[in-house]
């Protein structure tokens, strides 16, 4: 299947008609008694190899992603590129629930979001939001479980390496402008609670499956209701028509197909908030008093070369970001962290929430090298050598875990 489509909106129809075509020809074969003729069906499969990509993300670049499951696609370590912005076609995908149908992006401007916990609560359409204000922010989007595969206690969940992260441009209206228009936040509200627009399967307690996240109101400074990703209409895959984006915060707080934003006194009791995405010791159950996956700390990793290179001049590449703080610098070591050299930050500085690609030129003699990178944020926080062990394998920023072993010949 084609992977070059610009966004999801017009692809479903194409796939549907192709599928009905296939179904049609199959029944035609059946009616003349040719069903089950092996050579024929093999030939048909060879002509149109089935994509491993799930339908709702069939526009992704298949060569750039690892398909862990229909709900989890990871960017390959070498597919991040050396520019600042991660191409949408390479960006990871993580769905806790199956994605809604393409009908929700058929008439984008008609999408409604309910705003609660302000002095004048209202339901606003996307068209109305566009009248209020507009801003673009470049930010790292990263899943809490990025780096989970390096944990050794075997935490369940997707075994993400480095690629449950990307740096993208969001465009939308600052949430604070929407709030100002609605008379300000009601007194005593401590959290911003966003609710995802997925239709929930019947027969299950909604609280156990719904995507509803609460984050502290201090994030109001940076929150955006976004309708564009990398200068295109926000694909359904990434939360179109409208997404609550909290730059500097872990992925889960960036609620896709957002249908309500409520300022609340307390955190939602949805499972994904109350016990999910909580840092606790190995073997311990999740509970509301444990730290929630909110602000992201400083992190970096090497993206090239990954396995081998030729002796002589080499250029080591990677990405580094400060999370919720600006980035200060990144160092690289070719001896597993014994000695460090400052790497050069590349590309334009796209602000506090963006990552910076980095590079360091080295001369390497034949042999084996452990290449690691270590970033520091503007407040002096340094990426730690070791991860913090925790039950679910969240928040891995260990520079040691994220190194690469390079053979130089
Ligand atoms: N509505 C909704 N929002 C969601 C999710 C979801 O399943 N449903 N998954 C969250 C998680 S865990 C992550 S890491 C990011 C992934 O964003 P992406 O799929 O655009 O990469 O979306 C977050 N927002
Ligand atoms: Mo996530």
């Amino acid at each position: 299947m084609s992977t070059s489509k610009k966004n999801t909106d017009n692809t479903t129809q194409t796939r549907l008609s192709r599928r009905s075509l296939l179904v049609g020809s199959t029944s035609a074969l059946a009616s003349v008694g040719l069903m089950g003729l092996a050579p024929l069906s093999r030939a048909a499969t060879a002509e149109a190899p089935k994509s491993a990509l799930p339908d709702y993300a069939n526009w992704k670049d298949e060569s750039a992603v690892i398909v862990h499951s229909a709900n989890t696609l990871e960017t390959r370590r070498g597919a991040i590129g050396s520019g600042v912005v991660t191409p949408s076609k390479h960006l990871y995908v993580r769905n806790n629930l199956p994605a809604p149908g393409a009908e929700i992006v058929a008439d984008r401007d008609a999408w409604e979001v309910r705003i609660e916990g302000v002095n004048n609560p209202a339901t606003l359409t996307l068209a109305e939001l566009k009248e209020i204000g507009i801003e673009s922010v470049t930010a790292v989007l990263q899943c809490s479980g990025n780096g989970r595969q390096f944990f050794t206690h075997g935490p369940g969940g997707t075994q993400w390496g480095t690629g449950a992260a990307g740096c993208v441009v969001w465009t939308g209206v600052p949430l604070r402008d929407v709030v100002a228009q609605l008379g300000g936040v009601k007194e005593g509200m401590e959290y911003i609670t966003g609710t995802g627009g997925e239709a929930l399967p019947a027969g299950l307690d909604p609280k156990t499956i719904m995507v509803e996240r609460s984050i502290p109101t201090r994030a109001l400074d940076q929150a955006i209701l976004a309708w564009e990703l990398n200068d295109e209409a926000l694909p359904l895959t990434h939360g179109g028509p409208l997404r609550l984006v909290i730059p500097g915060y872990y992925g889960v707080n960036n609620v896709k197909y957002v249908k309500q934003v409520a300022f609340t006194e307390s955190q939602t009791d949805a499972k994904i908030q109350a016990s999910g995405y909580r840092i606790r010791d190995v073997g311990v159950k999740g509970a509301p008093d444990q730290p929630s996956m909110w602000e992201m700390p400083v992190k970096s990793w090497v993206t090239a070369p990954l396995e081998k290179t030729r002796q002589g001049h080499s250029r080591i590449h990677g990405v580094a970001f400060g999370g919720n703080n600006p980035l200060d610098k990144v160092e690289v070591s070719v001896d597993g962290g014994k000695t460090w050299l400052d790497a050069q930050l590349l590309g334009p500085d796209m602000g506090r929430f963006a990552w910076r690609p980095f590079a360091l030129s080295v001369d390497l003699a034949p042999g084996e090298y452990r290449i690691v990178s270590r970033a520091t944020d503007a407040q002096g926080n340094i990426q730690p050598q070791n991860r913090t062990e925790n039950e679910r394998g969240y928040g891995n920023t260990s520079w040691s875990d994220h190194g690469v072993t390079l053979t130089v010949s």
Side-chain angles (χ1 to χ4, degrees), residues 70-293:
N71 284 334
T72 45
L73 312 183
E74 171 168 1
T75 312
R76 291 186 185 280
R77 190 162 185 163
I80 280 299
S82 34
V84 177
V85 173
T86 308
S88 299
K89 281 195 294 180
H90 294 198
L91 184 62
Y92 85 100
V93 178
R94 196 301 192 223
N95 284 334
N96 290 269
L97 291 170
E103 67 278 358
I104 72 164
V105 286
D107 183 359
R108 292 168 172 273
D109 279 349
W111 181 262
E112 292 181 341
V113 61
R114 178 76 191 161
I115 312 288
E116 286 283 354
V118 288
N119 287 311
N120 306 307
T123 300
L124 298 172
T125 63
L126 178 44
E128 289 167 330
L129 288 176
K130 288 176 175 170
E131 296 296 314
I132 297 176
I134 191 159
E135 206 170 275
S136 289
V137 60
T138 308
V140 172
L141 180 71
Q142 180 185 218
C143 184
S144 310
N146 198 28
R148 177 180 286 137
Q149 69 169 224
F150 305 119
F151 284 83
T152 51
H153 68 285
T158 305
Q159 297 302 299
W160 304 110
T162 57
C167 181
V168 294
V169 184
W170 302 104
T171 298
V173 61
L175 184 59
R176 60 178 186 276
D177 292 355
V178 177
V179 165
Q181 177 122 337
L182 301 179
V185 175
K186 255 170 74 179
E187 206 161 302
M189 300 299 150
E190 306 266 338
Y191 298 96
I192 306 171
T193 298
T195 312
E198 287 105 336
L200 302 177
L204 293 168
D205 176 1
K207 291 280 177 201
T208 63
I209 45 175
M210 72 194 303
V211 177
E212 186 170 87
R213 287 285 299 175
S214 299
I215 54 157
T217 45
R218 60 177 178 264
L220 184 53
D221 280 348
Q222 60 217 59
I224 280 202
L225 284 168
W227 54 79
E228 275 185 25
L229 170 69
N230 292 343
D231 297 341
E232 291 180 316
L234 178 57
L236 173 71
T237 323
H238 294 292
L242 188 69
R243 182 169 191 171
L244 177 61
V245 172
I246 317 286
Y249 280 60
Y250 277 107
V252 66
N253 304 293
N254 296 258
V255 176
K256 305 200 249 191
Y257 356 96
V258 66
K259 67 173 187 191
Q260 178 171 285
V261 176
F263 291 84
T264 54
E265 278 172 44
S266 43
Q267 297 177 33
T268 168
D269 57 0
K271 185 166 173 258
I272 196 169
Q273 179 79 27
S275 59
Y277 296 86
R278 299 276 176 182
I279 294 276
R280 69 269 191 182
D281 288 344
V282 175
V284 174
K285 282 209 160 97
D289 61 344
Q290 301 153 350
S292 192
M293 298 307 288

Side-chain angles (χ1 to χ4, degrees), residues 264-386:
T264 54
E265 278 172 44
S266 43
Q267 297 177 33
T268 168
D269 57 0
K271 185 166 173 258
I272 196 169
Q273 179 79 27
S275 59
Y277 296 86
R278 299 276 176 182
I279 294 276
R280 69 269 191 182
D281 288 344
V282 175
V284 174
K285 282 209 160 97
D289 61 344
Q290 301 153 350
S292 192
M293 298 307 288
W294 284 332
E295 287 98 345
M296 292 189 288
V298 61
K299 187 170 178 179
S300 72
W301 59 85
V302 168
T303 56
L306 293 177
E307 279 163 30
K308 43 190 168 197
T309 191
R310 287 296 180 81
Q311 62 171 301
H313 178 82
S314 249
R315 201 177 262 279
I316 295 165
H317 284 268
V319 289
F321 55 102
N324 196 47
N325 291 326
L327 177 73
D328 178 31
K329 63 166 181 177
V330 58
E331 302 157 287
V332 167
S333 168
V334 298
D335 55 13
K338 287 193 202 82
T339 57
W340 297 90
L341 287 166
D342 279 344
Q344 181 195 357
L345 296 175
L346 307 176
D349 180 351
M350 300 296 281
R352 167 180 163 198
F353 304 114
W355 69 27
R356 297 290 298 273
F358 66 80
L360 178 73
S361 291
V362 286
D363 267 302
L364 299 175
E368 200 163 89
Y369 295 82
R370 182 71 182 164
I371 317 283
V372 289
S373 67
R374 180 176 75 175
T376 304
D377 74 14
Q379 293 186 3
N381 300 300
I382 305 186
Q383 219 182 316
Q385 176 167 7
N386 299 314

